[in-house]
Amino acid sequence: MADTDLFSPLTLRDLEIPNRIAVSPMCQYSCDTDGLPTEWHRVHLGSRAVGGAGIVMTEATAVEPRGRITPHDLGIWTNEQASALESITEFIRDQGSVPAIQLAHAGHKASKRKPWEGNDPIAPEEGGWEVLSPSPEAYPPFDGERPEMRKATVDDIQDVVDAYRAAAERSLSAGFEIAEIHAAHGYLLHEFLSPVTNQREDDYGGSFENRTRFVREVTAAVREVWPDDKPVFVRISGTDWLDDEPESWNVEQSARLAADLAEIGADLIDVSSGGLHPDQNVVGGPNFQVPLAERVDDGADIAVGAVGGITEPEQADALVRNDRADLVLVGREFLCDPYFGLRAADELAGEEAPAEWPIQYRRAVQ
């Protein structure tokens, strides 16, 4: 493999990741309504491992049924689901990649139709369900419609914490080496972090300490059952992109949260952004979220991952070489090219050390 910064190993706890490229979690909405992985998942995730990614991470995987974005999301709330994932993690590992899982709860963005079917809320009588929200009155529907929802009680919150803990235990039994907690993109934990969607007046609302309590409890619960020699990641939205809203989640709070999570035992903060509110003003483009990762890195003694608008090997390598990120998470480019990792190794190495493509494919690249 190429002798470049992008292809240098990354060691977190006792886990050595072979390179700095990770497949970013990308929802496939391709399960039946049982949360079980299908052959689509096996081929989708397996081909990215064949393609040279150091980490192959599942899509957002629901820790309980009401935490699904759609009825067709991947789940990890039963032992049957965990068992069905074992062959996938084994294949990923056999290709030299690290299997990772993103544990998620969609909160008040749950009970929707697939994006290509309109992304509309599904009523309970049509196969949907009542969803949880920190403050239903603050829910900002992207499409003008609201699902049936209720305010999460303290008991609900503790049930979700327990669901994350149990999901982490099942993920370990399924063979995953990294557990990532999804606290971004307007889903449940992000909804509690942001004062835009959290208008509670109890111990889970108001102050920064109270708004971050839920994600800290979830991280502690996952860390409690995840082995000491394996890392825990947390994905956050570095900002809500609501510059005209003085009371919103921003990068300064993200850096402060990252420091708190590091003390709890998180090992890497995966810095994305947005997804909370339809009025967000996202200025996209190459590396558009990297400055958020850099600010988090400056404010906390913890590894950071950068994601967003990363499409070229030299671009990804420069992020690691210039200490802008410890890990580069690639999403849409891996959808276009499952072999992005191998292609990056070839392009960066030139004539010196071309990538070792699977022997079955070598006649196409030699």
Side-chain angles (χ1 to χ4, degrees), residues 61-65 74-79 81-82 85 101-105 159-176 178-181 218 221-222 225-226:
T61 306
V63 300
E64 63 171 17
L74 191 63
I76 190 76
W77 66 83
T78 72
N79 293 337
Q81 292 162 342
L85 287 162
I101 186 169
Q102 186 184 67
L103 304 175
H105 194 297
D159 286 345
V160 173
V161 172
D162 291 341
Y164 268 94
R165 181 187 291 107
E169 291 178 313
R170 292 190 184 98
S171 299
L172 186 64
S173 71
F176 289 101
I178 298 170
E180 176 169 277
I181 297 159
V218 166
V222 171
V225 299
W226 205 247

Side-chain angles (χ1 to χ4, degrees), residues 144-335:
E145 295 188 50
R146 296 168 57 96
E148 185 167 325
M149 64 176 66
R150 66 181 175 86
K151 180 177 179 179
T153 66
V154 173
D155 286 343
D156 288 328
I157 292 168
Q158 292 309 308
D159 286 345
V160 173
V161 172
D162 291 341
Y164 268 94
R165 181 187 291 107
E169 291 178 313
R170 292 190 184 98
S171 299
L172 186 64
S173 71
F176 289 101
E177 302 284 342
I178 298 170
E180 176 169 277
I181 297 159
H182 196 355
H185 300 168
Y187 299 125
L188 186 63
L189 297 181
H190 185 191
E191 292 162 16
F192 272 81
L193 290 175
S194 178
V196 173
T197 44
N198 184 345
Q199 298 177 5
R200 301 170 70 96
E201 296 180 352
D202 61 3
D203 288 344
Y204 292 90
S207 67
F208 173 87
E209 180 180 3
N210 283 356
R211 286 183 285 109
T212 62
R213 189 182 306 278
F214 195 3
V215 70
R216 287 186 284 111
E217 290 181 348
V218 166
T219 303
V222 171
R223 183 74 269 176
E224 177 187 334
V225 299
W226 205 247
D228 288 341
D229 60 349
K230 299 182 189 297
V232 169
F233 293 4
V234 182
R235 170 166 276 195
I236 63 171
S237 280
T239 176
D240 288 340
W241 294 114
L242 295 171
D243 297 337
D244 295 332
E245 176 61 61
E247 295 296 324
S248 64
W249 184 257
N250 57 38
V251 71
E252 301 303 324
Q253 293 177 81
S254 292
R256 184 178 171 187
L257 173 62
D260 290 344
L261 296 176
E263 290 186 5
I264 294 171
D267 301 285
L268 181 141
I269 304 298
D270 173 2
V271 186
S272 187
S273 67
L276 184 86
H277 199 282
D279 293 339
Q280 64 186 9
N281 182 25
V282 182
V283 180
N287 292 345
F288 76 101
Q289 294 173 147
V290 173
L292 302 173
E294 291 179 296
R295 177 63 187 90
V296 169
D297 189 33
D298 289 342
D301 184 16
I302 192 169
V304 299
V307 62
I310 302 168
T311 60
E312 298 297 331
E314 287 189 2
Q315 174 192 14
D317 185 54
L319 293 177
V320 180
R321 184 173 66 251
N322 295 323
D323 295 322
R324 303 186 72 188
D326 299 285
L327 184 70
V328 178
L329 293 106
V330 177
R332 296 183 186 188
E333 192 62 23
F334 260 119
L335 294 183

Side-chain angles (χ1 to χ4, degrees), residues 340-364:
F340 174 80
L342 292 173
R343 178 168 63 83
D346 277 342
E347 289 189 17
L348 294 170
E351 298 294 328
E352 296 178 9
E356 291 189 9
W357 285 70
I359 195 167
Q360 298 92 332
Y361 294 173
R362 287 182 193 170
R363 60 182 173 175

Side-chain angles (χ1 to χ4, degrees), residues 31-111:
C31 296
D32 291 327
T33 56
D34 52 13
L36 290 168
T38 65
E39 288 303 301
W40 178 268
H41 297 90
R42 185 188 309 278
V43 174
H44 167 68
L45 296 170
S47 62
R48 274 76 194 168
V50 171
I55 297 172
V56 175
M57 192 175 295
T58 69
E59 64 197 75
T61 306
V63 300
E64 63 171 17
R66 63 183 172 179
R68 295 170 293 168
I69 305 167
T70 78
H72 303 284
D73 288 17
L74 191 63
I76 190 76
W77 66 83
T78 72
N79 293 337
E80 183 184 10
Q81 292 162 342
S83 296
L85 287 162
E86 287 183 32
S87 63
I88 296 176
T89 62
E90 182 180 2
F91 184 83
I92 291 170
R93 193 179 297 105
D94 285 347
Q95 310 315 305
S97 297
V98 175
I101 186 169
Q102 186 184 67
L103 304 175
H105 194 297
H108 63 214
K109 291 179 76 173
S111 192

